[in-house]
């Protein structure tokens, strides 16, 4: 399977701890996105990269959240000093960067479910 | 993103066509309509997208009204595996990067 891979699938942590999630996109894709999804809601955009450049990060929920994509391939999302409100599914997606109209469909992984106790 | 409105839930009998409506009355001329679905415990899955012409692929058909203010996703022969939340999205300016998913339509396919 050469789809988007996310690890771990589940993470349980205590409040105040730091957590890091990894995303491996589809190898041909140069764009990578992070979304968050809470129960009963649709996914919420957080940030995205084109190659190694982070083009949008204003939607990151606070300065405790940060993302990197150092070599333009895999990406990590870190949450520092976790809070119970951070409990959610964190989704990664990748796509080509193409002109509007061409297929810019996002391909999502199955997410990392974070539980903060 | 242009605001979209979808019914919160729909039912469909297996083998029948499922027609999922979406209103996007504020859509502008260069904005596409994208449809995704999310099966329980999985990430969203792209289904189809279109600008103004009707589109069909192996998963579904997309019918866009002439004024582009609404669209309908058609699953021609729904199966139990099509039970999912379906999202209609109009990304701002056609960027398709920062999708706003909303709460979608929960489609339940029954025997």
């Amino acid at each position: 399977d050469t789809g988007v891979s996310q690890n771990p699938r589940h993470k349980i942590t205590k409040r105040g701890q730091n957590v890091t999630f990894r995303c491996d996109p589809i190898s041909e894709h140069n764009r990578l996105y992070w979304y968050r999804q809470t129960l009963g809601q649709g996914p919420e955009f957080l940030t995205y990269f084109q190659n190694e450049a982070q083009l949008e990060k204003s939607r990151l929920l606070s300065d405790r959240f940060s993302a990197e994509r150092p070599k333009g391939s895999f990406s990590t999302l870190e949450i520092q000093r976790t809070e119970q409100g951070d409990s959610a599914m964190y989704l990664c997606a990748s796509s080509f960067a193409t002109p509007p109209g061409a297929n810019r469909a996002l391909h999502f992984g199955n997410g990392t479910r974070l539980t903060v106790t | 993103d242009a605001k979209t409105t979808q019914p919160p839930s729909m039912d469909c009998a297996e083998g029948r066509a499922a027609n999922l409506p979406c209103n996007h009355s504020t859509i502008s001329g260069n904005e596409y309509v994208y449809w995704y679905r999310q099966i329980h415990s999985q990430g969203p899955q792209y289904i189809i997208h279109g600008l103004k012409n009707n589109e069909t692929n192996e998963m579904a058909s997309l019918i866009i009204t002439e004024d582009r203010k609404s669209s309908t996703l058609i699953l021609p022969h729904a199966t139990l595996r099509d039970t999912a939340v379906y999202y209609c999205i109009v990304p701002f300016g056609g960027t398709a990067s920062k999708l706003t998913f909303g709460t979608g339509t929960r489609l339940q396919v029954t025997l």
Side-chain angles (χ1 to χ4, degrees), chain A residues 19-90:
Chain A
V19 294
T20 300
F21 312 137
R22 177 179 170 121
C23 172
D24 288 273
I26 293 172
S27 57
E28 303 83 35
H29 288 171
N30 51 2
R31 285 195 173 176
L32 185 148
Y33 313 80
W34 285 99
Y35 283 76
R36 186 180 84 149
Q37 186 172 25
T38 54
L39 202 60
Q41 302 298 312
E44 172 189 20
F45 170 81
L46 296 179
T47 186
Y48 85 104
F49 295 83
Q50 181 156 316
N51 302 313
E52 63 275 10
Q54 191 171 13
L55 299 186
E56 168 79 55
K57 58 181 180 180
S58 63
R59 306 282 187 95
L60 285 170
L61 300 163
S62 77
D63 58 6
R64 297 185 297 106
F65 288 71
S66 63
E68 292 184 342
R69 193 183 184 198
K71 297 182 180 179
S73 57
F74 74 91
S75 175
T76 57
L77 178 69
E78 181 181 18
I79 308 174
Q80 296 183 328
R81 305 180 303 281
T82 53
E83 302 173 357
Q84 287 188 321
D86 297 332
S87 295
M89 175 75 81
Y90 291 85

Side-chain angles (χ1 to χ4, degrees), chain B residues 16-79:
Chain B
R16 305 298 291 267
N19 297 286
L20 292 94
C22 179
N23 287 321
H24 32 78
S25 58
T26 60
I27 194 170
S28 61
N30 66 342
E31 291 178 329
Y32 285 72
V33 181
Y34 280 76
W35 283 82
Y36 285 76
R37 73 179 182 183
Q38 189 171 23
I39 296 169
H40 183 61
S41 296
Q42 298 183 18
Q45 176 191 24
Y46 165 80
I47 301 173
I48 198 167
H49 75 290
L51 182 63
K52 52 186 173 183
N53 297 321
N54 298 337
E55 302 288 345
T56 296
N57 64 19
E58 65 278 3
M59 290 183 68
S61 295
L62 175 60
I63 309 298
I64 302 173
T65 58
E66 192 168 344
D67 63 8
R68 303 209 325 117
K69 293 185 177 182
S70 66
S71 61
T72 300
L73 180 75
I74 301 172
L75 308 178
H77 306 286
T79 71

